[in-house]
Amino acid sequence: GAVVSQHPSRVICKSGTSVKIECRSLDFQATTMFWYRQFPKQSLMLMATSNEGSKATYEQGVEKDKFLINHASLTLSTLTVTSAHPEDSSFYICSSGGLGEEQYFGPGTRLTVT
Amino acid sequence: GDSVTQMEGPVTLSEEAFLTINCTYTATGYPSLFWYVQYPGEGLQLLLKATKADDKGSNKGFEATYRKETTSFHLEKGSVQVSDSAVYFCALSDFANFGNEKLTFGTGTRLTIIP
């Protein structure tokens, strides 16, 4: 199947700083990518849907000014957590796919804000 | 809204035991149903899927049947192996809203198989 990578796999940052997470499709062009957040022992919660060359669509309750998503090319989407706080500590996962098709998931990024 | 309720874990079984992980759903339209598996250190991978009522998805010895009357999609395997140890996620995609490509996930069930 298709391969999606994420970088970094783990990151620790200080409160108030910003962190960028990259999601790359390695062997296919991804016009749509999804960003999820996973809390311990909870399901994946969709944060936003990003389409190449256009603005991301955020789910209700997700602050778009805090979680900046850029999908500038068909192989790269980035999530930037701005002014991070300890409550932003979580596991962030990206995927690519489309209507009725299998989604391909990255391995996730563990963010810890101290 | 759509939701998926999944059997809570963790589940620990001996090798060659029979496995069932329960999954029920609520949806406003006509969902497709999926089981994803996440092996340690890896991303979620599609294990199997079913797109309409009474369909049976199967892969790697795992099976799940789309039961509209009970709104269920239980995952089963007749004889588990140590290599099946992973976290399993039930999910749905509701096509009632055209263009809605979102997946709704259950909480995941961690399965550990003991030799």
Side-chain angles (χ1 to χ4, degrees):
Chain A
V3 178
V4 175
S5 70
Q6 277 185 247
H7 178 80
S9 57
R10 292 175 180 269
V11 58
I12 300 173
C13 70
K14 293 186 177 181
S15 187
T17 62
S18 295
V19 174
K20 180 184 285 187
I21 301 170
E22 293 185 348
C23 177
R24 293 183 184 273
S25 56
L26 298 184
D27 52 2
F28 67 103
Q29 294 182 330
T31 55
T32 302
M33 285 187 169
F34 304 90
W35 286 95
Y36 295 86
R37 184 173 178 178
Q38 185 180 25
F39 293 99
K41 299 184 179 180
Q42 295 189 27
S43 63
L44 282 71
M45 300 299 297
L46 181 66
M47 299 175 64
T49 302
S50 94
N51 294 296
E52 187 266 338
S54 63
K55 291 183 178 181
T57 301
Y58 289 82
E59 295 300 299
Q60 192 172 15
V62 178
E63 299 176 61
K64 62 180 181 180
D65 293 332
K66 180 169 188 60
F67 298 100
L68 300 179
I69 291 173
N70 183 280
H71 193 164
S73 77
L74 289 172
T75 59
L76 174 64
S77 177
T78 60
L79 168 68
T80 301
V81 182
T82 62
S83 187
H85 288 91
E87 57 265 31
D88 299 325
S89 298
S90 191
F91 196 57
Y92 293 87
I93 303 171
C94 70
S95 75
S96 67
L99 189 64
E101 299 171 359
E102 175 181 354
Q103 285 193 21
Y104 301 101
F105 287 80
T109 297
R110 169 110 22 227
L111 169 63
T112 303
V113 184
T114 61
Chain B
D2 297 342
S3 67
V4 175
T5 302
Q6 189 174 340
M7 176 178 172
E8 287 194 21
V11 174
T12 302
L13 295 173
S14 297
E15 203 166 21
E16 299 182 1
F18 183 86
L19 169 71
T20 299
I21 301 178
N22 290 337
C23 172
T24 57
Y25 67 90
T26 58
T28 54
Y30 307 95
S32 290
L33 302 174
F34 307 83
W35 277 100
Y36 279 84
V37 58
Q38 185 176 29
Y39 298 104
E42 299 183 16
L44 277 74
Q45 304 171 22
L46 179 65
L47 179 60
L48 54 84
K49 69 178 182 181
T51 58
K52 60 182 186 297
D54 299 325
D55 270 1
K56 177 186 285 188
S58 61
N59 185 25
K60 299 182 179 180
F62 290 90
E63 292 183 341
T65 300
Y66 189 142
R67 300 287 188 198
K68 188 175 180 181
E69 63 275 16
T70 54
T71 61
S72 65
F73 193 55
H74 305 321
L75 182 68
E76 297 182 335
K77 185 173 185 180
S79 177
V80 293
Q81 305 299 314
V82 172
S83 57
D84 294 327
S85 298
V87 181
Y88 292 82
F89 292 89
C90 185
L92 71 79
S93 182
D94 190 344
F95 296 98
N97 300 314
F98 184 78
N100 180 359
E101 307 165 346
K102 298 184 292 188
L103 286 172
T104 300
F105 284 90
T107 55
T109 302
R110 181 175 298 279
L111 174 67
T112 301
I113 306 302
I114 299 172

